[in-house]
Amino acid sequence: MLMRDLGIIPAQKADAAGEGPSPYVNLSRRAFVGGAGLFVLGVTLAGCSTYVEPEIDADAFDLPEPGASPLTEVRGGDATPALWIAIDRDGAVKITCHRSEMGQQVWTSMAQIVADELEADWDKVEIIQAEGHERYGDQNTDGSRSVRFNFHRLRVAGAAMRQMLVAAAALYWKLPVEQCSAKGGLVSNTQNDETLSYGNLAELAGKLEIPAEADITLKTPKEWRYINAEIPSLTVPRIVRGEGTFGIDVQRPGMVYAVVARPPQLFGRVSSFDDAKTLEVPGVLKTVRLPDARPPALFQPLGGVAVVARDTWAAIEGRRALEIAWAAGPNAGYDSDAFAEQLKATARASGKVRRARGDVPAALAAAKKRVSAEYYAPHLGQTPMEPPSATAEWDGDRLECWACVQDPQSTRATLAEALGIDKENIKVTPTWLGGAFGRKSKPDFVVEAALIARDVGKPVKVTWTREDDIRHGYFHSVSAQYCEGGLDADGKCTAWLHRTVFPPISSTFDNTVAEPSDGEMGMGASDVPFAMPNLRVESGNAKGHVRIGWLRSVANIYHAFAVQSFAAELAHAAGRDQKDYLLELIGPPRKIDPETEGAKYGNYGASLEEYPIDTGRLRNVLEKAAAMAEWGRKLPAGRGLGIAVHRSFLSYIATVVEVAVKPDGSLSIPGVWLAVDAGTVINPRHVRAQMEGGTIYALSNALYGAITAKDGAIVQDNFPSWRLMRMREAPRAFEVEIVASDAPPGGVGEPASPPAAPALANAIFAATGHRMRTLPLIGAEGSKLKLPTKQSA
Amino acid sequence: MAITLTINGKSETVDAAPGTPLLWVLRDHLQMTGTKFGCGVAQCGACTVHVDGEPTRACVTPHDTLEGAQITTIEGVSGDAADAIRNAWVANDVPQCGYCQSGQIMAATALLRDNPSPDDAAIDEAMSGNLCRCATYMSIRRAIKEAAAAL
């Protein structure tokens, strides 16, 4: 049996690795020796058939033991080469990826950064997926920041390793380093064209001192060969053959399979249960009562009863046969329709001021025209195509888990807490993630697997069915917003009031918290980039009754929907073109600091010096997207263009959506045009994919997505009632332009989502004259927009 | 209860409970995990395999109805259409997370076998049963057309 069948081996060429690599062993200096397979010495140079590369015997060099790494604290974290790079004798360049691969192509982008500075031969690059460990620094693959956090230090690590390889060649050739140069996995003697391969040099290089950051020369952007290049994905060639290990694919010897019956309501409990019929189901082995969840929700499992069986289907059938009496708990009364009315009422009353400029009440009172609008957006589920799944194995007092987690470190810490064992006795290795979108930041499902594995004494894989995923998620927050604007006699906006009300994500971690956090406010509300003389942003409180969690682009979704819809409503009230008016609202190119107007603004954890809110860049993408879509062109009846622009995750994106709406309200999307300024870009091809993906994700949610609750339980259960966009509904044309920029890298995975829904709603208004302020626009059951019966032409 | 199935041209004897869907026999009994679980109710297409050449949802197809049938999975699908689809998928980096792509490739391969030059409507018809949350739909459409042109 292949090793792949026995356990997850995440390295790119798992079969060739011989045994499951411990990333740590691979990263120690021993790894430089590396060593499977034959080392072929002969290297034939073009036009020079006589040169044979000599084999370097590193032991022949008597060198002092190198000192400690001087690169443990460069910007971004530890850049010690051995933490990130292992070069085998045969030349394989093994690059450790400490972030989770979930389709954003982080394996490829991290490798591009390292390999470029390393001057590696791309064809020799393999990826080792890092386990969760503090030695790697932040591993929380969330917030669109893998490149931003790691760009500098991975460049430093690659360049340091390159310089060590060059130094090793110089030592071997007894040449000054200036006469040696590295390119494509070889170091050349510039005097005579002799070469030494990286695999041959690696062991000797590993005996040398690591250069200090001040002595490292990074390549200039003009010298980049892999950064900002359309390098093909490292995962795709395996995906098309059904290879690669997702969380749900992990196999362990003797493994059993489990599903869990969870309480319908958050903090509901099992009153009693009868598993007699379950145990009669062929293949069912046993049931395990899981501990009840207690507030706050945190990352703990929800409780309930696990059914353990010899295959997943038997576990599902066994669960169906369970008889459980549930105690509903404190959230039994939660009804999302009634709650929506509460949220809207809160949004109509004045709230807590989160940013203020000028005197909004006075300006509104003095306005020639006042416009107001209410917006509502429901709970959403992340619903990655791979539902949560985790495998856990105990050997006495040690726990090992393999799972599709976005943050293996928080998973490890959560497991230690939940099981009362030392973190040092827990190993967590992320698999590939079959989508994540924020759901897999929360490791509750891994804790379930560990608890069950400890009980049954065998490796256990827990699979969430789609029903489990949809009913028991960490939901995107429901929100109501109130906007009011004042226009002067010329139609200029003089006052902007935006009030937002939603249960905060903090409620998941402290159930007494009902106030929107500064972080959530800073996602599209308190960082609004508008220039009118009077501006006020307020928040209203709301309690959480389900687990509230991150979903791709988070609070930006509802804030951008309201802000960019209302901007278009003001344009309409002023009788102006939507795009021109939006530019006027944004005002001249400048840098904005919301803190000067009383906001507490985190800027996604970055400084405003390095990552300013730059309205020039915002204007630029808006103008570009408009030009791409031929904004202002004449359209047939029933067609319309809508535009929206939004900065999130330190990137600037403008989106134009074209809709075609038939008189009966059925809708199609002929085209989308998007311009993005994400600063320095690692892989334009994969950035385009994220722009398409982030946009469609948001359009799908805006058209169809709603998670609702009755009696505290989620109503939706599977794809018929939780609806996603399908091929036939996807836009036919989708154009992306990436603004060339040497600004530091911004986020890419999330920021395409926020402008999509308001651009769509604005397009529907342009096509029909009907302003839609409530999401979803169609819903799971329907096929048509909910237009008023008397539709304007 | 042991049943012999023909999967990718090989005989496989499995001993699963009657009525167990083919999906779980492939994944849990035969460790062939290329075929994915997405919904369990034939709504997402992640589990698509070919049964006697026809795209079939393995999550709702009892394995014990398939004796004597030719079952093909992502691990074994081959031929000109499959090659063209895989090549176009790689050339365009179609997958993002890749989880739904086994099913997408099985559906697209069957489409090209039946219709070597599908138009947009044919692509919509053949591919709308396969959900992709990463939304690779535009890339899939482009790659199917490229694969068709290469056939």
Side-chain angles (χ1 to χ4, degrees), chain B residues 79-98:
Chain B
D80 291 347
D83 290 347
I85 287 291
R86 280 200 178 101
N87 290 342
W89 250 239
V90 170
N92 287 277
D93 268 354
V94 167
Q96 291 184 27
C97 84

Side-chain angles (χ1 to χ4, degrees), chain A residues 39 41-46 51 53 87 91 93 118-121 124 162 165-166 169 173 180-189 193-201 225:
Chain A
F39 177 55
L41 281 174
V43 175
T44 305
L45 295 173
Y51 174 72
E53 180 177 343
I87 300 175
V93 175
L118 178 59
E119 268 298 333
D121 174 356
K124 299 272 174 67
R162 170 189 16 99
L165 290 160
V166 169
W173 279 325
C180 304
S181 88
K183 192 174 181 187
L186 297 172
V187 180
S188 306
N189 179 339
D193 286 344
E194 285 181 5
T195 59
L196 294 168
S197 62
Y198 279 12
N200 194 9
L201 286 164
R225 58 164 72 206

Side-chain angles (χ1 to χ4, degrees), chain A residues 156-387:
Chain A
V156 169
M161 186 73 243
R162 170 189 16 99
Q163 290 185 198
M164 292 163 75
L165 290 160
V166 169
L171 185 66
Y172 179 78
W173 279 325
K174 301 187 176 66
L175 286 173
V177 290
E178 293 74 25
Q179 288 182 24
C180 304
S181 88
K183 192 174 181 187
L186 297 172
V187 180
S188 306
N189 179 339
T190 56
Q191 308 298 298
N192 62 8
D193 286 344
E194 285 181 5
T195 59
L196 294 168
S197 62
Y198 279 12
N200 194 9
L201 286 164
E203 188 181 355
L204 181 56
K207 293 181 162 204
L208 303 179
E209 296 288 342
I210 299 168
E213 192 175 5
D215 298 324
I216 290 170
T217 308
L218 297 178
K219 293 163 85 174
T220 64
K222 276 192 176 148
E223 294 169 321
W224 287 340
R225 58 164 72 206
Y226 304 134
I227 296 170
N228 196 22
E230 305 217 350
I231 303 292
S233 163
L234 290 171
T235 60
V236 165
R238 300 174 68 192
I239 288 167
V240 300
R241 313 205 79 85
E243 299 167 0
T245 305
F246 293 91
I248 202 169
D249 297 334
V250 173
Q251 306 283 334
R252 299 297 301 167
M255 185 174 79
V256 292
Y257 300 80
V259 298
V260 178
R262 299 174 188 83
Q265 292 90 356
L266 178 60
F267 305 127
R269 290 178 297 105
V270 176
S271 292
S272 63
F273 77 102
D274 180 349
D275 62 6
K277 287 179 188 154
T278 296
L279 296 173
E280 286 170 14
V281 171
V284 169
L285 303 170
K286 71 177 294 192
T287 63
V288 180
R289 171 84 157 82
L290 295 174
D292 296 329
R294 294 175 196 288
L298 307 171
F299 294 150
Q300 66 186 312
L302 293 168
V305 180
V307 178
V308 183
R310 68 171 181 149
D311 62 35
T312 311
W313 180 251
I316 291 170
E317 289 288 277
R319 181 172 70 174
R320 235 190 287 277
L322 266 180
E323 289 173 11
I324 304 180
W326 301 105
N331 294 303
Y334 182 52
D335 179 303
S336 52
D337 288 344
F339 192 66
E341 296 312 313
Q342 279 182 42
L343 291 177
K344 289 174 192 171
T346 306
R348 284 176 207 126
S350 59
K352 179 177 173 180
V353 177
R354 309 297 290 257
R355 182 177 165 195
R357 174 197 307 157
D359 186 341
V360 164
L364 285 174
K368 186 84 181 161
K369 195 170 192 178
R370 287 173 74 157
V371 181
S372 66
E374 292 178 10
Y375 301 90
Y376 176 78
H379 289 296
L380 300 170
Q382 298 88 352
T383 59
M385 289 309 298
E386 177 197 34

Side-chain angles (χ1 to χ4, degrees), chain A residues 593-645:
Chain A
D593 180 357
E595 298 219 329
T596 62
E597 294 172 346
K600 289 208 174 71
Y601 183 60
N603 199 32
Y604 301 91
S607 75
L608 280 169
E609 289 71 45
E610 192 181 12
Y611 288 95
I613 302 176
D614 182 339
T615 57
R617 292 172 76 184
L618 201 64
R619 293 177 63 96
N620 182 48
V621 292
L622 182 59
E623 302 263 31
K624 273 197 160 36
M628 290 164 70
E630 298 175 52
W631 184 262
R633 72 186 136 97
K634 191 100 179 104
L635 289 163
R639 289 219 178 191
L641 293 176
I643 196 165
V645 65

Side-chain angles (χ1 to χ4, degrees), chain B residues 43-55:
Chain B
Q43 288 291 314
C44 79
C47 67
T48 305
V49 297
H50 295 172
V51 174
D52 295 328
E54 283 299 309

Side-chain angles (χ1 to χ4, degrees), chain A residues 530-741:
Chain A
F530 292 162
M532 65 284 289
N534 303 285
L535 177 148
R536 184 163 165 138
V537 180
E538 296 179 1
S539 67
N541 290 3
K543 293 198 85 166
H545 298 86
V546 295
R547 301 190 294 183
I548 307 289
W550 309 269
L551 177 146
R552 192 179 202 169
S553 85
V554 201
N556 287 293
I557 298 167
Y558 40 83
H559 287 151
F561 176 61
V563 167
Q564 292 291 309
S565 292
F566 194 61
E569 297 209 44
L570 293 180
H572 178 68
R576 298 275 307 281
D577 173 78
Q578 194 217 320
K579 188 257 302 180
D580 292 343
Y581 200 79
L582 187 50
L583 283 169
E584 186 174 298
L585 290 177
I586 293 168
R590 68 198 182 286
K591 287 171 183 160
I592 291 173
D593 180 357
E595 298 219 329
T596 62
E597 294 172 346
K600 289 208 174 71
Y601 183 60
N603 199 32
Y604 301 91
S607 75
L608 280 169
E609 289 71 45
E610 192 181 12
Y611 288 95
I613 302 176
D614 182 339
T615 57
R617 292 172 76 184
L618 201 64
R619 293 177 63 96
N620 182 48
V621 292
L622 182 59
E623 302 263 31
K624 273 197 160 36
M628 290 164 70
E630 298 175 52
W631 184 262
R633 72 186 136 97
K634 191 100 179 104
L635 289 163
R639 289 219 178 191
L641 293 176
I643 196 165
V645 65
H646 191 72
R647 173 188 183 269
S648 64
F649 305 93
L650 312 174
S651 293
Y652 303 78
I653 293 177
T655 305
V656 176
V657 172
E658 181 174 348
V659 295
V661 185
K662 291 191 180 147
D664 69 356
S666 61
L667 167 144
S668 64
I669 302 174
V672 176
W673 297 266
L674 180 151
V676 52
D677 177 352
T680 300
V681 160
I682 306 303
N683 193 317
R685 162 190 282 216
H686 298 151
V687 170
R688 280 196 297 275
Q690 288 306 302
M691 295 303 105
E692 291 183 357
T695 300
I696 303 292
Y697 190 90
L699 291 177
S700 176
N701 289 340
L703 286 168
Y704 310 124
I707 294 288
T708 59
K710 272 232 166 336
D711 300 327
I714 301 304
V715 173
Q716 291 70 27
D717 58 1
N718 208 320
F719 289 126
S721 53
W722 170 255
R723 180 173 171 191
L724 303 184
M725 187 180 273
R726 293 177 181 274
M727 172 66 89
R728 69 166 69 92
E729 298 144 322
R732 282 293 157 84
F734 200 121
E735 290 179 19
V736 175
E737 183 173 330
I738 300 170
V739 174
S741 169

